[in-house]
Amino acid sequence: MPAPKKRRNPRLLSHSRPTVRKKPNSLSSQATRTLIRSYHNVQKRLHTALKAKDFGAVASLQGQISASGGLSKYQEASIQGQSRERGGDSSRILIEWLHDDFFTPKQKVTWTDSRRRKLRMLEVGALSVDSTCSRSGMFDMTRIDLNPQHPKIEMQDLMQRPLPSASELNSTGFDIVSLSLVINYVVDPVARGEMLRRVSKLLRPSQAVCEDDHEAMSFRKLLPGLFMVLPAPCVTNSRYLNEEILQEIMKSLGYIKVKSKISSKLAYYLWKYETPYVGSNGKQFSKSEVRSGRSRNNFTILLQ
């Protein structure tokens, strides 16, 4: 008589499933956008209340900001929004532009391979030290932010950063300054214009950017420069700003547009700094409607 078969206990379902890694707590894309948009809106209302000296509203709005996590929570959402899983940070566009101009399509080499000197870059509003620019090997990086999230990011307000003297500019100035999603963070339109003006005083002269003849042509086409990224609606759906006016504002400050790209969400620009055009120095730009409609936003940049 054959021996009775041993009855096997049912296998646990968990043993037959592949291991599922627990994802770290993170915000969804929608939640990230909502948090960032809400933070900007409250900051605008706070700015208005401060100007009106409505201290009751100021206290209430400051309470809202604190209750929602403040600047740290806003930065956390921004970092997640620029993660590789969500398309990567905006500086990858700058790297593509520079590489395309400095190397031919057949030259599949890195900046380090080419043995060119590193470009001096100031990254304003730096969220991490792992951006595409940081990993490219192209830059000698200086990173600043109001609320640094890493020891290698210096706590500093750009508007408080000491300006180099004319004799110091060649050695301590920058080949490129990055303002990626920074200008739109500034609430006051006049302060936005002042920030763009201040950046020009931190850039090295074009002759200092070039070190030898074979680099001169490539460098001089693009640098010294300002890499600026804005939410696309700031340019495409603003009641007071469009592409033409933005170029006129930048031109009056001495910037020439050499590269640009507008996606559904972001507007990327590389502005080469030369010198303010004759007659444009001190030119003022006030608020003037260029698009009508209730769906427009009120973003603008003013020069006074």
Side-chain angles (χ1 to χ4, degrees):
M1 183 176 178
K5 293 183 179 180
K6 291 183 179 180
R7 187 176 180 181
R8 294 183 180 178
N9 293 325
R11 197 175 185 190
L12 295 176
L13 185 60
S14 61
H15 291 172
S16 62
R17 285 182 175 176
T19 303
V20 178
R21 293 182 181 177
K22 292 184 178 180
K23 293 183 179 180
N25 292 332
S26 62
L27 298 169
S28 66
S29 297
Q30 180 61 44
T32 298
R33 289 193 295 270
T34 299
L35 192 154
I36 292 173
R37 191 179 301 116
S38 174
Y39 185 85
H40 280 287
N41 287 337
V42 175
Q43 286 289 336
K44 290 175 186 176
R45 290 162 57 197
L46 177 60
H47 176 71
T48 301
L50 285 167
K51 287 184 70 174
K53 297 184 179 181
D54 186 346
F55 300 115
V58 168
S60 175
L61 291 166
Q62 288 176 334
Q64 286 184 43
I65 293 171
S66 178
S68 64
L71 181 56
S72 294
K73 194 67 177 179
Y74 168 83
Q75 288 179 313
E76 180 185 328
S78 297
I79 290 171
Q80 291 186 24
Q82 293 190 22
S83 66
R84 296 178 195 177
E85 291 79 8
R86 298 185 186 179
D89 67 293
S90 57
S91 69
R92 63 187 173 82
I93 301 297
L94 173 62
I95 297 299
E96 290 173 6
W97 285 341
L98 294 179
H99 199 278
D100 288 349
D101 272 68
F102 293 148
F103 304 112
T104 66
K106 294 181 180 180
Q107 287 180 292
K108 296 183 178 180
V109 295
T110 65
W111 189 268
T112 305
D113 293 335
S114 71
R115 297 186 178 182
R116 290 183 170 182
R117 71 168 183 85
K118 289 187 176 182
L119 302 171
R120 286 178 50 79
M121 179 175 184
L122 173 63
E123 184 179 7
V124 182
L127 294 173
S128 75
V129 296
D130 191 40
S131 66
T132 306
C133 280
S134 297
R135 291 182 281 106
S136 69
M138 295 175 69
F139 303 101
D140 177 8
M141 301 288 297
T142 297
R143 307 176 185 88
I144 64 173
D145 189 63
L146 297 174
N147 185 37
Q149 301 295 300
H150 193 280
K152 291 185 178 180
I153 301 175
E154 180 183 353
M155 180 182 287
Q156 188 177 66
D157 183 335
L158 175 66
M159 303 307 289
Q160 300 299 319
R161 185 178 181 86
L163 295 175
S165 65
S167 61
E168 297 171 330
L169 200 55
N170 281 6
S171 58
T172 64
F174 296 95
D175 301 310
I176 189 162
V177 174
S178 171
L179 296 180
S180 179
L181 299 176
V182 171
I183 290 291
N184 56 294
Y185 179 84
V186 179
V187 177
D188 183 8
V190 175
R192 293 170 188 155
E194 288 304 311
M195 180 174 283
L196 293 172
R197 183 176 279 123
R198 191 174 188 84
V199 165
S200 68
K201 298 176 182 179
L202 294 168
L203 292 168
R204 305 171 76 207
S206 59
Q207 61 268 26
V209 176
C210 311
E211 286 196 337
D212 55 55
D213 290 339
H214 89 274
E215 290 185 346
M217 187 61 70
S218 295
F219 277 123
R220 283 180 178 158
K221 284 194 297 182
L222 303 178
L223 303 176
L226 164 62
F227 178 60
M228 183 170 74
V229 183
L230 294 168
C234 289
V235 182
T236 62
N237 194 44
S238 169
R239 184 173 283 105
Y240 304 112
L241 186 73
N242 57 22
E243 186 79 14
E244 182 181 355
I245 292 176
L246 177 60
Q247 288 196 59
E248 285 298 312
I249 291 172
M250 298 301 285
K251 181 179 178 180
S252 74
L253 294 172
Y255 296 100
I256 305 299
K257 185 176 74 172
V258 290
K259 298 280 185 180
S260 67
K261 174 182 178 180
I262 298 182
S263 69
S264 59
K265 295 180 180 179
L266 297 173
Y268 307 83
Y269 298 95
L270 180 57
W271 306 91
K272 182 181 185 297
Y273 182 71
E274 295 183 343
T275 53
Y277 283 81
V278 176
S280 66
N281 195 19
K283 184 177 180 180
Q284 295 187 354
F285 285 83
S286 57
K287 188 181 290 187
S288 179
E289 188 174 285
V290 293
R291 297 186 185 97
S292 60
R294 296 178 60 184
S295 64
R296 308 300 183 186
N297 64 70
N298 294 322
F299 181 85
T300 191
I301 298 171
L302 302 180
L303 295 181
Q304 293 184 353

